[in-house]
Amino acid sequence: MKIGITCYPTYGGSGAVATELGLGLARRGHEVHFISYAQPFRLTTFIDGVYFHEVEVNRYPLFEYPPYSLALAVTMHEVTWREELDLLHVHYAIPHATAGWIARDMLRAAGRDVKLVTTLHGTDITLVGQDPSYRSITRFSIEKSDRLTAVSGWLRDRTHRDFECDRCAIEVIPNFVDPDIYDRERYRGRHRLARPGEKVVMHISNFRAVKRIPDLIEMFARIQRELPARLVLVGDGPERQRAEDLAAHLGISGRVVFLGKLDSVADLLAHADLFLLPSEQEAFGLVALEAQASGVPVVGTSGTGLDEVIEEGVTGHLHPVGDVAAMARSAISLLADGTLWAEYSRAARRRALEHFAMERIIPSYEALYRDVLEDAGSSGVSAA
Ligand code: GMT
C-alpha cells in the first residue's frame, strides 16, 4: 500500500506513534509519505520506502495568521495525486482531519478515490476539541473521516460522550512500543543519574497543566522523606517553572534534576526505578508503556486511559486524580521492597511485550487499511 501520514512532527506521543507506525509499515513493505511542516523528530535518517514532504506556508503580509491547515491540505492533495497514494492517515484531529477531508474531497472531485483514516490521541478530543473555537469543526472532520481509531477505550467513550456522536464507529487500536529499544538490559550508565543507593524516580512529559506537575513534586517530596531518591524530569513546557519553584519551596531542589527536552528516552528509562504519571487526563500514556517495556513500574491516576495500560497491583498502582498521599504510599511500598519491585518490573516488561509490542499492533492498522480500501462507497464514519 502507499500511505500518507500526517502528524505533529515535534515532541509528543501522537507524533512519536505516527512516526513509529510509518517506519513499521515501511519495514513491512509499504511505501510511506510523511506530510507535515517539519521532519518528524523520530525520523532521523533515510529509510527505504519512507519519504518526507514539507508543507510550505506562505507568509504573505496580509496573513496575520498564515493558514497552515490550507497549505497542509494542498500538500496532501499534491502528494497523494503525484505519488498515487491509496490513503491518508492523520494523527490528531485538529487540524489534520480537517485538512485531510479537504484533500480527499478535492481528489474525489477529480475522480481519484482516496480514503481518510483519522487516529484520535486524546487532547484533540478532550481539550482542543472542546474549545468553542474548534468544537464544531472537530466533530465535522471526524465524522467525515472514512475510518476513526482511538488509542484507548477511554478515549473512544469520551469521543462518543463529548461529541454526542453515538453513531461514530471508532475502532480502538492501542499505542505500541518497540521492545528491543525499550529494554533496560541494553543500556549502561545509571551512575550519571543517581548516586549508589539512591532510587531513580522519573517523569517525562510536555509539562502542561493536564500532567498535574505540582502533584508530582509533592509526591516526590513524600517519597524522598522515606528513602534516598532522585527525581529525574525530562521534557519542558509551561509548568516547568512552577515545578522548579515548588521544589525550592519544599526544600528538595537538590534532589530534582531537570534534563529538558530529549529526542530519545529509552536509555534514561532503563535506569529508572519508578515512573510517575499523575495526569488529570491521559488517553493512553505512551510514556507509561515505554516505562513498562523498560521494566519500570508506574504509579499514576485511575479513571484515565492508564487503566488500560497499567495492570493494577501487578505492573504499578493507580489512584484517583489528586490523591497524592495514596500515590506516594504506593510508590514508597514499591521502592522499599526489592523483591516486590523485581516482580513488578518483570510483569511490566511482560505486559508491554504481550499486549503492546509493535508487531502485534501494526497489523491491526494494516487490516483497517485493507478494510477501508475495499469499502468503495464510504463517505464518513457516521454515515454507516
Ligand atoms: O499529552 C499530550 O497533551 C500530548 C498528546 C500528543 O499529541 O502527543 O498526547 C496524547 O497522545 C498520546 C499518544 O497517543 C497519548 O499517549 C497521551 O495519553 C495523550 N495525552 C493526553 O490524553 C493528555
Side-chain angles (χ1 to χ4, degrees):
M1 275 177 258
K2 290 182 165 194
I3 303 148
I5 293 184
T6 291
C7 62
Y8 281 106
T10 49
Y11 302 84
S14 59
V17 169
T19 311
E20 298 294 350
L21 172 62
L23 299 179
L25 289 166
R27 280 196 290 274
R28 296 167 74 89
H30 302 286
E31 189 174 303
V32 176
H33 294 258
F34 286 98
I35 305 166
S36 191
Y37 61 83
Q39 179 126 338
F41 72 98
R42 288 199 180 175
L43 188 65
T44 45
T45 52
F46 172 72
I47 293 160
D48 272 354
V50 177
Y51 304 88
F52 168 62
H53 308 269
E54 186 172 332
V55 178
E56 301 282 350
V57 187
N58 184 318
R59 303 206 169 263
Y60 189 62
L62 192 63
F63 296 155
E64 191 169 344
Y65 304 103
Y68 172 66
S69 310
L70 298 184
L72 173 62
V74 169
T75 310
M76 288 168 111
H77 171 263
E78 278 174 8
V79 172
T80 308
W81 186 271
R82 192 179 61 238
E83 305 293 341
E84 300 185 336
L85 304 186
D86 298 304
L87 61 89
L88 292 164
H89 185 176
V90 301
H91 294 257
Y92 210 89
I94 292 294
H96 302 149
T98 316
W101 160 66
I102 296 171
R104 182 202 62 190
D105 280 25
M106 284 164 74
L107 288 153
R108 282 189 183 166
R112 183 82 62 83
D113 186 21
V114 172
K115 305 295 183 185
L116 175 64
V117 175
T118 298
T119 290
L120 307 174
H121 281 271
T123 45
D124 45 356
I125 293 299
T126 59
L127 296 179
V128 179
Q130 298 314 305
D131 184 322
S133 306
Y134 302 115
R135 186 177 153 78
S136 56
I137 194 75
T138 303
R139 183 184 170 144
F140 178 79
S141 306
I142 64 179
E143 284 185 353
K144 287 292 175 189
S145 302
D146 296 300
R147 288 288 189 282
L148 269 182
T149 79
V151 296
S152 63
W154 179 89
L155 183 58
R156 175 199 55 207
D157 297 347
R158 280 291 299 260
T159 309
H160 284 151
R161 192 194 81 188
D162 292 352
F163 285 101
E164 293 148 10
C165 182
D166 297 339
R167 291 168 63 220
C168 293
I170 304 175
E171 183 172 338
V172 174
I173 302 183
N175 287 335
F176 55 85
V177 69
D178 182 344
D180 293 336
I181 291 179
Y182 291 88
D183 179 357
R184 69 191 296 118
E185 302 304 323
R186 265 185 73 164
Y187 305 95
R188 299 281 167 270
R190 184 185 161 100
H191 63 275
R192 293 179 301 150
L193 294 181
R195 298 203 182 97
E198 273 179 345
K199 300 293 180 192
V200 176
V201 178
M202 199 169 281
H203 172 83
I204 304 172
S205 79
N206 51 21
F207 286 71
R208 301 203 174 268
V210 73
K211 304 291 172 184
R212 292 185 70 103
I213 301 296
D215 285 7
L216 174 82
I217 303 293
E218 284 183 19
M219 213 189 306
F220 179 70
R222 290 170 192 243
I223 295 170
Q224 58 86 47
R225 258 183 246 141
E226 302 300 320
L227 36 86
R230 198 161 287 271
L231 177 61
V232 177
L233 297 169
V234 185
D236 209 338
E239 292 284 290
R240 175 172 168 169
Q241 188 58 52
R242 203 163 158 210
E244 289 188 34
D245 294 347
L246 184 57
H249 175 73
L250 295 170
I252 56 170
S253 296
R255 305 210 144 268
V256 181
V257 189
F258 290 87
L259 297 183
K261 282 183 182 173
L262 294 168
D263 278 354
S264 122
V265 291
D267 58 335
L268 292 173
L269 281 168
H271 307 305
D273 297 302
L274 191 69
F275 191 83
L276 300 181
L277 198 56
S279 311
E280 179 96 38
Q281 301 173 1
E282 202 63 69
F284 185 88
L286 177 64
V287 73
L289 171 60
E290 293 170 342
Q292 286 193 122
S294 310
V296 185
V298 177
V299 169
T301 40
S302 55
T304 68
L306 287 175
D307 290 325
E308 296 163 50
V309 182
I310 311 302
E311 194 176 351
E312 171 56 39
V314 178
T315 70
H317 289 287
L318 300 177
H319 297 281
V321 175
D323 196 343
V324 171
M327 285 188 268
R329 270 199 305 279
S330 288
I332 293 161
S333 70
L334 270 172
L335 291 172
D337 182 340
T339 313
L340 185 69
W341 181 88
E343 270 173 35
Y344 274 62
S345 170
R346 277 193 298 273
R349 168 106 182 136
R350 198 164 53 238
R351 180 163 175 77
L353 258 69
E354 286 175 2
H355 296 271
F356 304 106
M358 65 193 305
E359 307 81 65
R360 287 177 180 272
I361 305 300
I362 291 180
S364 306
Y365 280 112
E366 286 178 298
L368 180 98
Y369 297 161
R370 276 194 298 274
D371 189 54
V372 72
L373 289 174
E374 280 164 16
D375 190 357
S378 164
S379 62
V381 289
S382 70

